Amino acid sequence: MLPNGFMIGAASAAYQVEGNNTKSDLWLMEEMPHTTFSERSGDACDHYNRYEEDIALLANAGLNTYRFSLEWGRIEPEEGVFDDAEIEHYRDVIRCCRAHGVEPIVTLHHFSSPIWLIRKGGWDAETTPADFERYTRYVMEHLGGELTYVCTINEANMGLQIARIAERYTQQAKAAAAAMAAAREAAGGDGAVDESQVQMGLNLQKMMENQRLQKAENVEAFGTENPQVFQSARSRHSDEIVCEAHRRARAAIRDLCPQVKVGLTLSLHDLQPQPGGEEYAAEEWADEFTHYLPTIEGDDFLGVQNYTRTLVGAQGDLPVPEGAETTQMGYEFYPEALEHVIRAVAQEFHGNLIVTENGVATDDDTRRVAFIDRALAGVERCVADGIPVKGYCYWSLMDNFEWQKGYSMCFGLIACDRTTQERTPKPSLEHLGSFAR
Ligand code: BGC
């Protein structure tokens, strides 16, 4: 059994549910002719206008916590210019939570950034930590008195993870190009080669062409060929910028609102090395977690986010094992990963932990119920062993805009008809609520 007062909630992010975040970088990226987004976010779930209904559904099902984010681009649409009406909107959302007996956990940055920030160099610019601090100060001056928990940055480690994948992808593309060249030579120099025989069926020519065209579109939107948005492959330098942004925001929060508990969140995989994969897994864990320890040392809590396990071989991450159940995201259905990650984190970070995201994309809600049961059983075991886990927020409150994958992924406890915006709670919503005491 989970202890009294344990936070049981659901999470969302402004850009994924509110709709019409026109001041944010991703809005422009969605509109580009050579966008990598499969569809536009548009009105999303219209949560901006319907948050009262959504919070009431959450509360009526027994959940006691709602983690959501503020959209920086709405609050500070131009550099140094703040929109008081938008901050009042978020005050209403917080008060709505409180009126329902729901604890709001507010995230200041969840992936999307103001367009002006990216035009200034984005998450690679030396000026970004100060910009983030100014925004944080404004938010805390207005809303800090109503808050207990603030996450500064969602998945601060995301960019390094993307860099690792991008590096692997580049190596594969190079190997594919070399294989094509060899095949051409064997075919007598300029003979036609079936590109689909090269691994992954890549159309390399088209890919390169697309990249070139995207560059021109980036210049038009952001004034640079290579905009450094939060999800860009991150260098060590930009990683340090993100850490500095967190430290400055934390200091500002402590300065203005010492009663607020502050932390950041990390995307953490349950890395399971297979024989020979120990070294690679250790390096990956260091990138993903250990090297953030000096940055998060003084935090009040760490937000743990996990979705699956990853088997690791000598050359890197391995595919999902043959025959395993997979989710819509293509991940292995493996809810026990959460317990493993919590235990791994607790060996090195001794502060409080809040599971700020954990969930499954599936159109079979019975599998979501099973996922929640198994994940929470793991959390209970951790708590019983004395690990200070204080809450669990399922991702996500409702089916929403899953970034580049658009609306195709069903993570939600509530279905959302995007034509009528009608909400339909799934049985998993009540089920999760039954864990709250
Ligand atoms: C992100 C969410 C996302 C979820 C599911 C997390 O990495 O914080 O924004 O929707 O994973 O993929």
Side-chain angles (χ1 to χ4, degrees):
M1 256 223 184
L2 291 163
N4 271 332
F6 189 88
M7 293 186 282
I8 288 284
S12 73
Y15 197 88
Q16 295 177 270
V17 294
E18 284 181 345
N20 299 297
N21 276 306
T22 59
K23 307 289 184 197
S24 299
D25 51 357
L26 304 182
W27 188 265
L28 287 193
M29 295 178 91
E30 286 171 26
E31 283 180 342
M32 289 177 178
H34 294 85
T35 182
T36 40
F37 284 81
S38 61
E39 59 185 312
R40 291 185 180 183
S41 54
D43 290 338
C45 307
D46 195 28
H47 183 65
Y48 189 82
N49 297 306
R50 294 166 196 261
Y51 67 88
E52 286 172 292
E53 181 185 350
D54 298 333
I55 293 169
L57 287 172
L58 173 150
N60 292 342
L63 283 69
N64 57 31
T65 303
Y66 180 36
R67 172 177 178 242
F68 60 95
S69 75
L70 313 186
E71 193 67 6
W72 184 0
R74 280 187 189 274
I75 295 175
E76 190 180 359
E78 301 297 334
E79 184 178 0
V81 179
F82 292 93
D83 188 333
D84 291 342
E86 293 291 357
I87 205 77
E88 288 312 311
H89 166 79
Y90 289 116
R91 187 192 308 285
D92 292 345
V93 179
I94 293 166
R95 290 200 172 157
C96 181
C97 288
R98 295 266 181 235
H100 283 94
V102 167
E103 181 65 45
I105 300 181
V106 162
T107 303
L108 296 174
H109 186 276
H110 194 128
F111 292 172
S112 44
S113 309
I115 294 166
W116 61 260
L117 187 90
I118 307 307
R119 289 197 174 133
K120 278 180 75 178
W123 289 95
D124 197 35
E126 302 292 336
T127 45
T128 290
D131 288 332
F132 189 61
E133 182 191 335
R134 186 183 57 233
Y135 156 66
T136 301
R137 282 189 176 275
Y138 174 83
V139 170
M140 297 313 289
E141 274 161 6
H142 288 78
L143 306 179
E146 316 208 14
L147 294 173
T148 312
Y149 294 98
V150 172
C151 303
T152 55
I153 298 177
N154 181 66
E155 297 191 343
N157 57 350
M158 159 73 41
L160 283 190
Q161 290 173 342
I162 293 176
R164 200 171 260 275
I165 296 168
E167 170 60 23
R168 201 142 179 241
Y169 184 76
T170 308
Q171 278 171 13
Q172 280 175 355
K174 273 189 194 152
M180 263 173 62
R184 267 205 190 97
E185 208 171 330
D190 58 0
V193 172
D194 178 4
E195 288 190 351
S196 68
Q197 287 176 1
V198 183
Q199 62 168 339
M200 289 169 71
L202 286 179
N203 185 346
L204 293 174
Q205 188 62 38
K206 182 85 195 293
M207 215 175 78
M208 300 303 168
E209 182 69 8
N210 235 24
Q211 272 180 6
R212 192 175 58 76
L213 291 168
Q214 249 175 7
K215 280 185 180 168
E217 290 159 15
N218 282 334
V219 170
E220 208 180 313
F222 299 111
T224 165
E225 283 188 353
N226 192 14
Q228 296 298 306
V229 299
F230 194 79
Q231 300 90 323
S232 298
R234 199 168 291 152
S235 64
R236 296 284 152 182
H237 175 257
S238 358
D239 184 56
E240 185 41 38
I241 302 263
V242 172
C243 292
E244 179 61 8
H246 168 70
R247 289 190 293 260
R248 288 184 68 147
R250 180 182 63 201
I253 293 169
R254 295 253 162 92
D255 177 26
L256 294 166
C257 305
Q259 90 288 354
V260 165
K261 298 185 200 317
V262 54
L264 52 63
T265 84
L266 294 175
S267 155
L268 298 166
H269 293 86
D270 171 19
L271 301 172
Q272 299 191 0
Q274 303 303 292
E278 293 80 2
E279 205 176 310
Y280 193 97
E283 266 175 37
E284 216 172 343
W285 185 247
D287 263 4
E288 193 162 288
F289 177 64
T290 329
H291 96 270
Y292 292 99
L293 282 170
T295 299
I296 62 175
E297 226 163 34
D299 290 4
D300 298 301
F301 67 90
L302 171 67
V304 171
Q305 311 200 161
N306 166 266
Y307 288 86
T308 188
R309 71 165 170 175
T310 307
L311 303 183
V312 185
Q315 308 300 320
D317 297 348
L318 299 170
V320 171
E322 194 104 0
E325 178 181 354
T326 53
T327 75
Q328 288 176 329
M329 294 288 280
Y331 303 160
E332 183 179 356
F333 181 98
Y334 191 84
E336 286 68 29
L338 179 62
E339 175 181 2
H340 300 163
V341 159
I342 292 173
R343 289 185 187 280
V345 162
Q347 280 180 18
E348 294 170 283
F349 178 80
H350 305 295
N352 288 334
L353 304 177
I354 300 175
V355 178
T356 38
E357 284 183 30
N358 174 248
V360 60
T362 174
D363 55 13
D364 176 354
D365 198 53
T366 64
R367 300 309 293 147
R368 190 176 342 273
V369 167
F371 190 95
I372 290 171
D373 280 343
R374 282 164 56 181
L376 277 173
V379 172
E380 278 177 12
R381 285 189 289 271
C382 291
V383 173
D385 287 346
I387 300 177
V389 189
K390 302 297 175 191
Y392 173 93
C393 293
Y394 176 83
W395 181 272
S396 181
L397 178 60
M398 63 194 104
D399 292 339
N400 63 40
F401 183 68
E402 180 54 31
W403 311 110
Q404 297 184 351
K405 291 190 189 295
Y407 291 99
S408 55
M409 300 290 129
C410 303
F411 276 99
L413 300 165
I414 300 173
C416 170
D417 179 323
R418 294 195 51 263
T419 317
T420 60
Q421 292 293 358
E422 194 188 333
R423 273 61 171 147
T424 310
K426 304 176 192 178
S428 53
L429 179 67
E430 288 271 345
H431 186 72
L432 177 61
S434 72
F435 284 88
R437 297 204 295 141

